[in-house]
């Protein structure tokens, strides 16, 4: 049997796991950032399952100085502080490794790569094949015929296994030992290895290829010329020292026998306990105590299931079920209301209490197609009722009519979880819910915007209660999932009544928290009134001209074939233009359009839109490839898909809006996602032609905020120059360019305006000189000068940015004009990377969030006026800063007036708000 040893570079893999979640860290109910623990656990499971090592160890660095520090005191001096969240993860990760019964190896005075190098050499002598699991390039010097680098894949990509051939090809060398020479010449900014100043990887590689080693190079500097000769001769000692610093030690005095590293049985109970504590519920429940295979306690089939669940949207539920209360362990009184007398008794109680919680059980998540199976009600905690509904819609309407008065009574508070869905369902049964609402999902979103907001999560987090799972009633999601009509009465009654009861308990917790967090106005004047507005928009839908899309699809199909042929002609070969890998090989290996192309973390050439857009002037094939991708995306994502989403009953397209997804407060939409309908390109805009007015008596009206985030920034910052520019009605980008470049307004060039526009919007997102230089394709020096001039001309903007960051550091959050909060847990981090991300959010969140609040307020006020004036015109869509209406032509003037006024004055600003309004038979004409 092959002896297979895996040596894991602990901190390299832990950092990798942590930053893999940098845009969306996993925070559990206790406020612990579990990103690193979760990612590292997945790494362990993945390598054990797929590679089946016979021996394994995880190797850690220690805090003690090494021999390298004695030789060069500034070694690793530039290393940033470990992020606080990551530092707190290390003890948990150590416990996880120990629970897997995997040896942890470390030795004071030596780095992990030294220990791994030593163990690899010892293992080879004992007949092992060794895999050094790390993303660190330095390990290439250790590779030989039995020792490999194992770079774990990212985002589902396969791992890279690098042997001698791959390492030599990667560096352009003939022997792996020469990795040390290249690193000695080019240095390493991460480890603060100086190298020779001005010598990068390309030059270092060329020198090693020609001279074989650093020592031979230094003996033959007379063969060099010009500045390079000067650089090398002036830094001989630095080159020798840098090579030494980059050389991995392979004789660490560590006494470990092969049997010490043999893979062992896992401590199942310890793993389960840890995973429940960290709230990796599905992962914890995948382990069973009676499974004791010493290689992997999870069989292949089960492991596949685990691997899938690890990447689901909501893989980690909450805390140890041993501590949960549940329906069996908690006193409760749930009743079935199966006659009118019982129903009237409950209705009387609701009228006395003036509030109740309710939930509907249905056959589908699609509000237009779902049928009501039952209605659950709760008036006080621990008690709830279930009303089963007949299958006949007419009979169901008749039974539900008994509740019509309480649902439509403005004086009674209606409480629910995702109440918009239930409002839509009951609307199909002739009940129009009015009056005050309270949605526990939305309330929790305002309190904890970055957490999860499903009822099960909140019940476990705040009530220590685990509700009955819907999957226990109808099975898991998929084609085989059952229907609520098939569930026995007692089971569905307990499940439904529990939902209403738990939601009522969450209401009683959240309502006072909303008050103490100063979120009452935002909840009761914005988010909750918006629920009915969104539900009415979803119900109305929009007309889609499917014939227009079918015709467009045919044109796109022809264009795709034409552009594909043009690309292959330019390439001089046939290849799969849809394959990023083959595109990279054609551009950078065959055509060699640039000398040093970027690569992804998996080793492929980078061919994303951001990369190719900067290379358009290098070859005409690049523009063609971008055109091809746009055509394919338009056809496959929108043109061919949208017609399939038209509802068969209504003949219209109905999106679904979500208030609790974007932490900024922006609305999102899905099925379809209208926020992503293309607008930047001419072809993309063609899709909007298919969104048409109801009939010839109507036109679509589009109203769009103009530069609303800039206007909000001017208002929040109170910058006099920017406020003056907006008040005078000047083109803000031209006005900015005039000030930044020191020219008259009428002398501003198109390039200067373009640059100023990028700065205006970039400042909102905390753009750096590096970022601006990259976007504008200018030097970093020029970009830095533009930003400095910008702040000189708009000092109030700089003050606002500094104050926002200072306030965030003091409070831990920032707020919009209406009090929406964005919590910034990393704002005081010692790690510059994570702190910088939080600082950018501190600047941007109040601006973007205020813009989100503003259009929401406008939507509420417009809808009120439409109803007050009994207009037949309808608000249909909200997309970014734009609203779209079906305008009955006879109401054109009054609708224009309502929309313009309510959008302009939704939230008072210190600058005028401008609205762009247009009308047309389709969305493109109107926009």
């Amino acid at each position: 049997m092959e002896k297979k040893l895996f040596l894991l570079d602990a901190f390299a893999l832990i950092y990798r796991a942590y930053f893999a979640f940098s845009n969306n860290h996993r925070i559990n109910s206790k406020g612990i950032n579990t990103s690193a623990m979760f990612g590292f656990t997945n790494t362990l499971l993945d390598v054990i399952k797929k590679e089946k090592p016979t021996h394994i160890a995880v190797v850690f660095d220690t805090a003690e100085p090494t021999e390298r520090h004695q030789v060069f005191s500034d070694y690793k001096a530039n290393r940033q502080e470990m992020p606080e969240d990551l530092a707190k993860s290390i003890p948990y990760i150590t416990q996880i490794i120990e629970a897997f019964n995997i040896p942890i190896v470390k030795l004071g005075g030596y780095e992990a790569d030294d220990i791994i190098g030593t163990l690899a050499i010892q293992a080879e002598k004992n007949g092992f094949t060794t895999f050094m699991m790390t993303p660190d390039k330095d390990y290439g010097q250790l590779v030989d015929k039995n020792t490999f680098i194992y770079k774990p894949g990212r985002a589902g990509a396969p791992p890279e296994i690098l042997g001698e051939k791959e390492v030599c090809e990667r560096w352009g060398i003939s022997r792996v030992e020469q990795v040390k020479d290249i690193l000695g010449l080019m240095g390493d900014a991460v480890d603060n290895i100086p190298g020779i100043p001005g010598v990068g990887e390309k030059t270092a590689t060329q020198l090693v290829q020609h001279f074989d080693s650093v020592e031979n190079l230094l003996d033959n500097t007379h063969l060099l010329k010009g500045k390079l000769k000067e650089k090398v001769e002036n830094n001989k000692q630095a080159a020798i020292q840098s090579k030494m610093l980059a050389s991995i030690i392979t004789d660490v005095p560590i006494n470990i026998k092969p049997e010490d590293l043999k893979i062992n049985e896992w401590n199942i109970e310890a793993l389960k306990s840890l995973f429940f504590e960290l709230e990796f519920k599905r992962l914890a429940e995948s382990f069973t105590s009676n499974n004791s295979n010493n290689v992997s306690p999870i069989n292949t089939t089960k492991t596949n299931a685990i691997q899938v669940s690890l990447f689901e949207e909501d893989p980690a539920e909450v805390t140890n079920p041993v501590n949960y209360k549940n329906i069996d362990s908690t006193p409760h009184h749930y009743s079935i209301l199966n006659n009118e007398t019982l129903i009237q008794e409950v209705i009387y109680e609701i009228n006395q209490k003036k509030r109740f919680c309710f939930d509907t059980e249905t056959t589908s998540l699609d509000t237009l197609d779902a049928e009501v199976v039952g209605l659950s009600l709760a008036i006080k905690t621990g008690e709830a009722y279930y009303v089963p509904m007949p299958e006949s819609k007419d009979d169901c309407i008749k039974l539900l009519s008994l509740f019509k008065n309480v649902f439509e009574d403005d004086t009674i508070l209606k409480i629910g979880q995702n109440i918009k869905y239930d409002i839509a369902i009951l609307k199909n049964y002739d009940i129009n819910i009015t009056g005050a609402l309270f949605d526990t999902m939305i309330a929790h979103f305002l309190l904890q915007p970055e957490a999860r907001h499903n009822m099960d999560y909140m019940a476990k987090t705040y009530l220590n209660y685990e509700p009955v799972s819907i999957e226990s009633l109808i099975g898991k999601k998929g084609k085989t999932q059952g229907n609520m009509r098939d569930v026995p009465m007692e089971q569905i009654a307990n499940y439904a009544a529990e939902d209403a009861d738990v939601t009522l308990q969450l209401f009683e917790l959240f309502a006072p928290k909303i008050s103490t967090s100063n979120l009452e106005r935002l909840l009761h004047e914005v988010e909750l009134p918006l629920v009915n507005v969104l539900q009415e928009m979803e119900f109305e839908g929009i007309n889609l001209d499917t014939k227009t899309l079918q015709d467009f699809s045919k044109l796109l199909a022809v264009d795709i074939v034409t552009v594909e042929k043009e690309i292959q002609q330019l390439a001089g070969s046939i290849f799969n233009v849809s394959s990023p890998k083959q595109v990279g090989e054609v551009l950078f290996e065959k055509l060699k359009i640039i000398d040093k192309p970027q690569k992804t973390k998996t080793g492929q050439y980078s061919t994303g839109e951001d990369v190719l857009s900067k290379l358009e002037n290098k070859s005409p094939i690049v523009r063609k490839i971008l055109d091809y991708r746009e055509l394919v995306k338009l056809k496959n994502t929108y043109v061919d898909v949208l017609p399939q989403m038209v509802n068969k009953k209504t003949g219209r397209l109905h999106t679904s809006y979500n208030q609790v997804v974007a932490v900024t407060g922006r609305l999102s939409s899905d099925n379809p996602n209208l926020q992503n309908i293309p607008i930047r390109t001419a072809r993309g805009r063609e899709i909007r032609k298919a969104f048409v007015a109801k009939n010839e008596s109507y036109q679509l009206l589009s109203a769009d905020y103009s530069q609303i985030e800039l206007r909000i920034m001017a208002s929040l910052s109170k910058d006099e120059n920017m406020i003056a520019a907006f008040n005078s009605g000047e083109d803000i980008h031209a006005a900015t360019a005039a000030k930044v470049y020191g020219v008259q307004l009428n002398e501003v060039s198109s390039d200067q305006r373009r640059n100023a526009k990028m700065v205006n919007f970039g400042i909102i997102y905390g753009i750096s000189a590096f970022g601006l230089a990259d976007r504008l394709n200018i030097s970093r020096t020029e970009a830095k000068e533009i930003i400095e001039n910008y702040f000189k001309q708009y000092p109030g903007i700089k003050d606002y940015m500094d104050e926002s960051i200072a306030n965030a550091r003091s409070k831990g959050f920032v707020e919009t004009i209406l009090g929406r909060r964005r919590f910034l847990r990393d704002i005081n981090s010692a790690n510059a990377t994570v702190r910088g991300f939080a600082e950018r959010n501190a600047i941007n969140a109040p601006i973007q969030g205020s813009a989100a609040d503003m259009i929401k307020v406008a939507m509420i006020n417009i809808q009120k006026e439409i109803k007050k004036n009994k207009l037949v015109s309808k608000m249909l869509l909200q997309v970014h800063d734009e609203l779209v209406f079906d305008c009955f032509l006879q109401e054109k003037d009054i609708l224009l007036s309502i929309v313009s006024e309510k959008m302009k004055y939704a939230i008072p600003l210190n600058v005028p708000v401008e609205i762009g309004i247009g009308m047309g038979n389709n969305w493109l004409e109107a926009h």
Side-chain angles (χ1 to χ4, degrees):
M1 179 180 175
E2 180 189 16
K3 293 190 290 185
K4 197 173 184 181
L5 170 64
F6 266 74
L7 299 171
L8 280 61
D9 184 350
F11 279 114
L13 296 173
I14 290 168
Y15 266 90
R16 174 183 174 275
Y18 177 80
F19 284 105
F21 292 92
S22 58
N23 291 328
N24 187 23
H25 279 304
R26 300 173 55 86
I27 311 296
N28 70 9
S29 64
K30 305 177 192 73
I32 298 172
N33 186 336
T34 61
S35 303
M37 294 88 101
F38 185 75
F40 189 82
T41 299
N42 185 53
T43 297
L44 282 178
L45 283 171
D46 198 52
V47 75
I48 291 171
K49 174 209 163 207
K50 292 180 179 176
E51 304 300 338
K52 297 180 174 55
T54 59
H55 296 69
I56 191 168
V58 179
V59 185
F60 279 83
D61 296 307
T62 70
E64 295 181 38
T66 67
E67 180 184 325
R68 295 179 181 88
H69 291 93
Q70 295 169 12
V71 172
F72 183 56
S73 59
D74 287 336
Y75 178 64
K76 292 193 174 181
N78 293 338
R79 285 274 174 109
Q80 292 184 18
E81 289 288 330
M82 181 183 290
E84 288 80 355
D85 281 350
L86 182 52
K88 293 174 184 176
S89 301
I90 304 304
Y92 284 104
I93 291 173
T94 301
Q95 291 179 59
I96 289 168
I97 298 167
E98 289 171 344
F100 275 110
N101 278 326
I102 294 173
I104 291 175
V105 182
K106 56 186 175 182
L107 182 64
Y110 294 93
E111 296 181 48
D113 50 3
D114 298 327
I115 297 171
I116 288 174
T118 301
L119 292 177
I121 288 178
Q122 292 176 0
E124 184 166 28
K125 293 175 182 176
N126 285 285
F128 281 85
T129 300
T130 301
F131 295 88
M132 302 174 293
M133 192 168 177
T134 179
D136 192 339
K137 63 183 184 297
D138 298 11
Y139 282 81
Q141 63 190 272
L142 298 172
V143 167
D144 61 29
K145 62 180 181 179
N146 293 310
T147 305
F148 302 86
I149 293 175
Y150 185 96
K151 291 179 68 174
R154 286 184 179 272
E160 266 191 285
I161 297 176
L162 308 178
E164 291 176 304
K165 177 175 177 288
E166 290 78 13
V167 170
C168 289
E169 286 178 354
R170 155 67 179 88
W171 292 99
I173 52 181
S174 57
R175 307 185 321 279
V176 295
E177 293 86 357
Q178 293 173 310
V179 169
K180 294 180 283 189
D181 296 285
I182 291 178
L183 293 173
L185 293 172
M186 64 182 276
D188 187 330
V190 175
D191 288 343
N192 201 35
I193 297 175
I196 294 179
V199 172
E201 182 180 333
K202 183 178 178 181
T203 303
T205 300
Q206 290 172 344
L207 290 171
V208 172
Q209 287 172 343
H210 188 75
F211 292 98
D212 191 68
S213 68
V214 167
E215 291 78 8
N216 196 41
L217 165 68
L218 300 181
D219 288 341
N220 292 279
T221 55
H222 62 281
L223 298 176
L224 301 175
K225 295 179 180 179
K227 288 187 177 180
L228 179 59
K229 179 180 180 181
E230 184 180 331
K231 289 175 184 176
V232 173
E233 288 185 337
N234 289 342
N235 292 279
K236 286 186 176 184
Q237 186 56 39
I240 293 292
Q241 186 182 66
S242 296
K243 179 176 177 178
M244 186 280 294
L245 293 172
S247 297
I248 294 175
I249 298 168
T250 57
D251 58 354
V252 173
I254 192 162
N255 184 25
I256 292 179
K257 299 173 183 176
E259 54 265 30
D260 296 333
L261 306 183
K262 192 172 182 180
I263 201 157
N264 292 305
E265 292 183 20
W266 301 347
N267 186 334
I268 300 299
E269 292 307 317
L271 287 170
K272 284 173 66 177
S273 177
L274 270 168
F275 293 153
F276 276 125
E277 180 184 350
L278 294 171
E279 302 179 5
F280 303 161
K281 184 191 171 190
R282 295 187 191 175
L283 186 55
E285 291 178 346
S286 68
F287 290 84
T288 54
S289 57
N290 62 355
N291 198 335
S292 58
N293 182 309
N294 68 352
V295 175
S296 170
I298 309 170
N299 63 43
T300 304
T301 304
K302 188 67 175 177
T303 304
N304 287 335
I306 290 168
Q307 294 304 315
V308 171
S309 72
L310 289 175
F311 294 98
E312 288 178 3
E313 181 181 352
D314 190 20
E317 298 296 334
V318 187
T319 29
N320 195 329
V322 173
N323 298 323
Y324 285 154
K325 296 177 289 183
N326 58 40
I327 197 167
D328 296 321
S329 63
T330 305
H332 64 277
H333 183 70
Y334 298 158
S335 305
I336 297 174
L337 303 183
N338 52 14
N339 64 65
E340 189 170 336
T341 301
L342 293 173
I343 289 172
Q344 291 298 347
E345 289 176 2
V346 172
I347 289 173
Y348 175 81
E349 193 176 351
I350 290 172
N351 279 307
Q352 295 300 306
K353 190 74 172 176
K354 290 297 180 183
R355 78 177 192 199
F356 71 103
C357 182
F358 77 100
D359 186 36
T360 57
E361 300 305 328
T362 65
T363 58
S364 169
L365 294 176
D366 187 328
T367 56
L368 292 168
D369 296 328
E371 298 174 5
V372 174
V373 175
L375 175 72
S376 58
L377 305 152
I379 305 166
K380 57 185 177 181
T381 59
E383 294 184 15
Y385 309 96
Y386 179 70
V387 187
M389 294 291 159
E391 287 194 37
S392 163
K393 185 169 184 178
D394 290 339
D395 292 341
C396 192
I397 290 173
K398 184 178 178 182
L399 181 55
L400 281 170
S401 68
L402 298 173
F403 298 92
K404 189 174 176 68
N405 287 339
V406 293
F407 275 117
E408 297 184 354
D409 188 333
D410 289 348
T411 68
I412 296 175
L413 174 66
K414 294 88 184 174
I415 302 160
Q417 164 76 11
N418 189 19
I419 204 168
K420 176 161 65 72
Y421 174 85
D422 301 292
I423 291 172
I425 293 298
L426 292 179
K427 186 172 187 175
N428 295 332
Y429 289 82
D430 197 30
I431 291 177
N432 294 295
I433 294 177
T434 59
L437 305 173
F438 192 100
D439 190 324
T440 49
M441 179 180 75
I442 294 173
H444 188 251
F445 172 70
L446 296 186
L447 291 166
Q448 296 290 338
E450 294 187 346
R452 284 162 282 160
H453 315 292
N454 63 76
M455 193 195 75
D456 284 2
Y457 171 84
M458 294 189 294
K460 293 170 185 176
T461 303
Y462 298 99
L463 306 176
N464 195 35
Y465 185 93
E466 183 172 28
V468 175
S469 163
I470 190 170
E471 292 184 351
S472 69
L473 273 64
I474 61 174
K476 294 189 175 183
K477 287 181 181 179
K479 293 180 180 178
T480 60
Q481 190 173 51
N483 189 294
M484 291 298 274
R485 286 204 191 280
D486 304 326
V487 179
M489 178 62 67
E490 185 178 349
Q491 288 184 358
I492 193 173
N494 279 332
Y495 168 83
E498 181 191 61
D499 272 4
D501 181 21
V502 167
T503 301
L504 183 61
Q505 292 179 52
L506 291 171
F507 159 76
E508 292 182 345
L509 279 173
F510 293 161
K513 287 179 183 286
I514 287 289
S515 178
T516 56
S517 301
N518 296 318
L519 292 167
E520 283 184 303
R521 180 187 178 194
L522 187 61
L523 179 66
H524 295 294
E525 295 183 20
V526 182
E527 294 295 349
L528 292 176
L530 187 66
V531 168
N532 272 312
V533 176
L534 295 177
Q535 188 279 314
E536 289 168 4
M537 291 167 63
E538 292 172 2
F539 182 82
E540 183 68 19
I542 189 168
N543 227 11
L544 192 73
D545 183 352
T546 55
K547 177 67 166 56
T548 293
L549 289 178
Q550 288 166 1
D551 293 341
F552 191 27
S553 179
K554 293 173 184 176
L555 289 173
L556 288 174
V558 172
D559 288 347
I560 287 169
V561 172
T562 301
V563 174
E564 184 177 33
K565 288 180 179 176
E566 291 173 349
I567 291 169
Q568 291 172 345
Q569 286 173 356
L570 289 168
S573 64
I574 304 297
F575 70 100
N576 182 359
V577 184
S578 295
S579 165
K581 182 175 185 293
Q582 293 186 35
V583 166
E585 290 168 352
V586 167
L587 293 180
F588 305 122
E589 291 183 6
K590 183 178 181 183
L591 300 180
K592 300 185 186 301
I593 64 171
I594 56 173
D595 293 333
K596 194 176 179 181
Q598 294 181 36
K599 286 193 175 183
T600 67
K601 290 170 182 175
T602 60
Q604 279 189 198
Y605 292 110
S606 297
T607 62
E609 182 180 355
D610 56 332
V611 173
L612 295 189
S613 295
K614 297 172 187 174
L615 302 177
E616 280 190 65
N617 62 338
K618 301 294 183 182
S619 171
I621 194 174
V622 177
R623 180 66 258 168
K624 291 291 182 183
I625 290 169
L626 289 171
D627 287 345
Y628 174 84
R629 288 181 178 177
E630 182 195 3
L631 292 167
V632 170
K633 182 177 180 180
L634 289 176
K635 187 175 189 300
N636 295 344
T637 306
Y638 304 107
V639 177
D640 291 346
V641 173
L642 288 174
Q644 300 171 24
M645 303 183 80
V646 172
N647 186 275
K648 292 179 181 178
K649 289 182 182 178
T650 67
R652 292 168 74 84
L653 190 69
H654 301 263
T655 191
S656 177
Y657 289 100
N658 199 319
Q659 293 169 259
V660 301
V661 171
V663 292
T664 58
R666 289 279 189 185
L667 291 171
S668 66
S669 71
D670 55 28
N671 296 319
N673 181 357
L674 297 180
Q675 312 292 334
N676 284 348
I677 298 292
I679 190 61
R680 291 183 180 178
T681 64
R683 286 194 188 103
R685 288 191 290 272
E686 286 292 304
I687 293 173
R688 297 192 173 208
K689 279 186 180 178
F691 290 79
V692 296
K694 183 178 289 186
N695 56 47
E696 58 276 1
S697 299
Y698 289 77
Q699 279 193 334
L700 292 186
L701 184 153
S702 168
D704 199 356
Y705 278 116
S706 171
Q707 300 164 339
I708 190 62
E709 291 187 357
L710 283 179
R711 293 173 193 272
I712 289 171
M713 182 171 73
S715 188
L716 288 174
S717 68
K718 300 180 175 61
D719 183 89
E720 294 180 359
N721 287 339
M722 186 164 279
I723 289 173
F726 276 122
N727 284 336
S728 67
E730 293 174 354
D731 175 342
I732 188 63
H733 303 311
T736 297
K739 289 186 176 297
V740 168
Y741 289 102
V743 298
Q744 294 298 311
L745 191 61
N746 59 2
E747 296 174 346
V748 171
S749 69
S750 58
D751 282 346
Q752 288 172 332
R753 184 186 183 280
R754 177 178 67 91
N755 292 355
K757 181 178 180 179
M758 183 62 71
V759 178
N760 274 330
F761 287 115
I763 289 296
I764 295 173
Y765 294 91
I767 198 168
S768 64
F770 177 83
L772 184 64
D774 187 54
R775 291 189 193 184
L776 295 178
N777 200 22
I778 59 177
S779 71
R780 205 176 304 181
T781 302
E782 184 181 350
K784 184 172 181 287
E785 186 178 341
I786 290 173
I787 291 175
E788 287 174 351
N789 287 341
Y790 182 92
F791 286 136
K792 285 177 185 176
Q793 297 301 323
Y794 298 120
I797 302 293
K798 186 68 169 68
D799 291 343
Y800 161 76
M801 294 168 67
D802 293 341
E803 287 169 14
S804 292
I805 293 170
N807 286 336
R809 285 182 180 149
S810 172
K811 298 178 181 178
F813 62 85
V814 289
E815 293 179 297
T816 65
I817 295 170
L818 297 185
R820 183 184 303 279
R821 293 181 175 181
R822 177 75 184 272
F823 294 93
L824 302 167
R825 57 188 292 118
D826 295 322
I827 193 67
N828 291 307
S829 174
N831 182 276
T833 302
V834 296
R835 185 179 67 249
F837 184 76
E839 289 173 350
R840 289 190 291 276
N841 277 328
I843 296 164
N844 170 252
I847 297 168
Q848 196 175 152
S850 293
D853 294 342
M854 192 164 184
I855 198 164
K856 287 178 177 179
V857 172
M859 292 167 72
I860 294 163
N861 293 339
I862 289 168
Q863 195 78 331
K864 281 182 184 175
E865 289 299 307
I866 286 176
K867 290 188 174 184
K868 178 181 174 183
N869 289 276
K870 298 180 180 179
L871 304 183
V872 297
S873 298
K874 302 284 185 181
M875 183 156 49
L876 305 181
L877 304 177
Q878 187 273 338
V879 180
H880 302 302
D881 297 320
E882 178 184 10
L883 298 176
V884 179
F885 302 80
D886 241 338
C887 175
F888 184 50
L889 291 175
Q890 294 179 24
E891 300 170 348
K892 175 182 174 181
D893 291 341
I894 187 171
L895 185 63
L896 282 170
S897 175
I898 290 170
V899 171
S900 177
E901 180 186 359
K902 298 306 177 185
M903 288 184 74
K904 281 183 179 179
Y905 303 109
I907 296 178
L909 300 180
N910 294 327
V911 295
V913 173
E914 288 190 7
I915 314 294
I917 298 182
M919 294 185 66
N921 294 319
N922 61 60
W923 190 7
L924 182 62
E925 288 180 8
H927 187 81

